[in-house]
Amino acid sequence: MSIEQLAETAQAMVAPGKGIIAIDESSATIAKRFAAVGIENTEENRRAYRELLLTTPKLNEYVSGAILFDETIRQSTKDGVPFAKFMADNGMIPGIKVDKGAHPLAGCPGELVTEGLDGLRERLKEYYKLGARFAKWRAVINIGESMPSGTCIDANAHALARYAALCQECGLVPMVEPEVIMDGDHDIETSYEVTEATLRSLFDALYAQNVVLEGTILKASMVIPGKDCEEQVDVEEVAEATVMCLKSTVPAILPGIVFLSGGQTDEQSTAHLNAMNQLDKLPWPLSFSYGRAMQQAALKLWAQDMTGNYAAAQKTVYERAKANGLAAQGKWEG
């Protein structure tokens, strides 16, 4: 795929008023989500649940694409249409999570580095054949006493950049996700400093690995105080801090930035995105790539009655997509 095609795909991912739904939970994570609402964790239930999400009527009005898990990109609708084909036929771009998860970083207690570079080129080629046109890799940055270390930030930035270069070589738009974790009692200033250092390191690494920024999407965490911080701040302060941090670190040539919800409530994640898009002159579109914040309400409904509540569950998925699509334009009214 040419640089022009990569850039075109990246721009389509952040088309005005559209964002990405993340349904790439690993088997362990989906098991926890299912257990919480009393659904048996079988392959068929996972397939049926992902079908419910992807076949939501009119989803493509507000959702440009979906991040799938390895199992999901190989599955089909109950009518036998592969999910990736169903999405492409309905104007949505199939994406794939390709990292192998965060593992302890040797020599840095309490810190993590994401693995999965071995054999990645072959996997990316296969995913392209299966219909994927973008990929996702998540790094985990914890804040704590003397954390994160420069070693942790740089190791993760280097891995993200190598992954991104391989994606572009194989015709996939890389979504780079350095998630600064909300757990902890740190204040918003600490969150800002860590996010800024992380993004600087990331873009330095992307340049060093010759990654074409026009064909890359950033999946960012918001600059937000830790969950246990006594000083919580209002929506406007999160929006202003996040945008200021991004403006000081992210090149304007990037096609767009999507946010993860990262432990925020559905309402918070939408309100923060909306407030950011009401600020003046942003160099890039700011949109969403939410998982839990798009699915939680629907999963609870579906769990109560898988057949009877199917349409109602899909309606909540559409409503969450619409709210976030409006927020991506600063037009959400709450």
Side-chain angles (χ1 to χ4, degrees):
M1 196 187 269
S2 67
I3 287 168
E4 287 74 20
Q5 285 170 303
L6 285 168
E8 229 170 83
T9 302
Q11 283 160 6
M13 288 164 68
V14 287
K18 289 189 179 188
I20 306 280
I21 184 168
I23 58 171
D24 59 335
E25 302 88 358
S26 66
S27 305
T29 303
I30 197 89
K32 279 185 219 153
R33 302 255 171 101
F34 276 8
V37 292
I39 294 174
E40 195 188 345
N41 183 26
T42 62
E43 188 187 343
E44 174 48 31
N45 281 346
R46 292 192 296 272
R47 189 209 61 76
Y49 175 55
R50 265 90 187 226
E51 176 169 4
L52 176 145
L53 298 168
L54 290 171
T55 61
T56 291
K58 300 191 298 197
L59 186 65
N60 59 7
E61 289 176 9
Y62 301 104
V63 166
S64 58
I67 311 167
L68 308 176
F69 186 57
D70 178 78
E71 175 182 79
T72 316
I73 200 168
R74 301 172 194 281
Q75 291 173 328
S76 303
T77 66
K78 59 182 183 301
D79 300 333
V81 182
F83 283 145
K85 183 180 183 336
F86 177 88
M87 287 176 66
D89 291 348
N90 286 278
M92 293 184 285
I93 304 162
I96 181 75
K97 165 196 160 87
V98 299
D99 67 67
K100 297 279 192 180
H103 297 267
L105 178 59
C108 298
E111 301 198 274
L112 301 166
V113 66
T114 301
E115 297 181 358
L117 289 168
D118 286 2
L120 182 57
R121 182 182 270 124
E122 283 61 43
R123 290 195 291 129
L124 291 171
K125 285 177 184 164
E126 186 194 7
Y127 288 136
Y128 187 91
K129 280 187 192 146
L130 288 168
R133 291 298 175 264
F134 73 95
K136 189 201 85 165
W137 178 289
R138 171 176 176 257
V140 174
I141 307 295
N142 287 313
I143 299 180
E145 208 172 319
S146 47
M147 289 195 308
S149 62
T151 305
C152 171
I153 289 175
D154 292 346
N156 278 294
H158 179 76
L160 276 162
R162 285 187 56 200
Y163 139 81
L166 283 164
C167 281
Q168 292 186 337
E169 178 191 279
C170 296
L172 295 153
V173 170
M175 183 186 275
V176 289
E177 180 184 4
E179 181 177 357
V180 176
I181 303 292
M182 264 176 78
D183 297 344
D185 58 4
H186 52 276
D187 57 17
I188 193 166
E189 286 78 15
T190 306
S191 174
Y192 187 103
E193 283 164 23
V194 170
T195 305
E196 186 178 39
T198 300
L199 291 173
R200 288 222 166 152
S201 177
L202 171 64
F203 283 98
D204 282 351
L206 292 170
Y207 279 122
Q209 303 281 342
N210 297 323
V211 173
V212 179
L213 293 186
E214 297 94 306
T216 304
I217 294 286
L218 171 66
K219 180 165 177 172
S221 32
M222 297 179 196
V223 175
I224 207 162
K227 275 187 213 161
D228 304 324
C229 176
E230 285 173 14
E231 267 179 79
Q232 290 299 324
V233 299
D234 63 19
V235 167
E236 282 64 37
E237 197 172 333
V238 169
E240 282 163 17
T242 303
V243 167
M244 195 154 93
C245 186
L246 293 169
K247 278 184 172 176
S248 78
T249 51
V250 180
I253 200 164
L254 200 79
I257 299 168
V258 294
F259 290 99
L260 53 100
S261 47
Q264 301 178 56
T265 65
D266 296 4
E267 187 99 349
Q268 280 171 332
S269 51
T270 306
H272 287 141
L273 177 63
N274 190 61
M276 284 185 242
N277 279 299
Q278 289 179 338
L279 297 171
D280 284 346
K281 295 196 184 75
L282 299 166
W284 354 248
L286 299 181
S287 192
F288 60 92
S289 173
Y290 296 157
R292 244 176 312 187
M294 290 278 285
Q295 304 177 33
Q296 198 79 332
L299 180 60
K300 281 182 184 162
L301 259 178
W302 185 60
Q304 288 159 14
D305 182 350
M306 287 185 179
T307 318
N309 284 354
Y310 199 85
Q314 286 192 323
K315 189 166 176 270
T316 70
V317 176
Y318 176 77
E319 281 164 4
R320 292 297 307 133
K322 182 179 181 179
N324 289 312
L326 291 171
Q329 301 174 82
K331 294 178 181 170
W332 178 70
E333 289 177 354

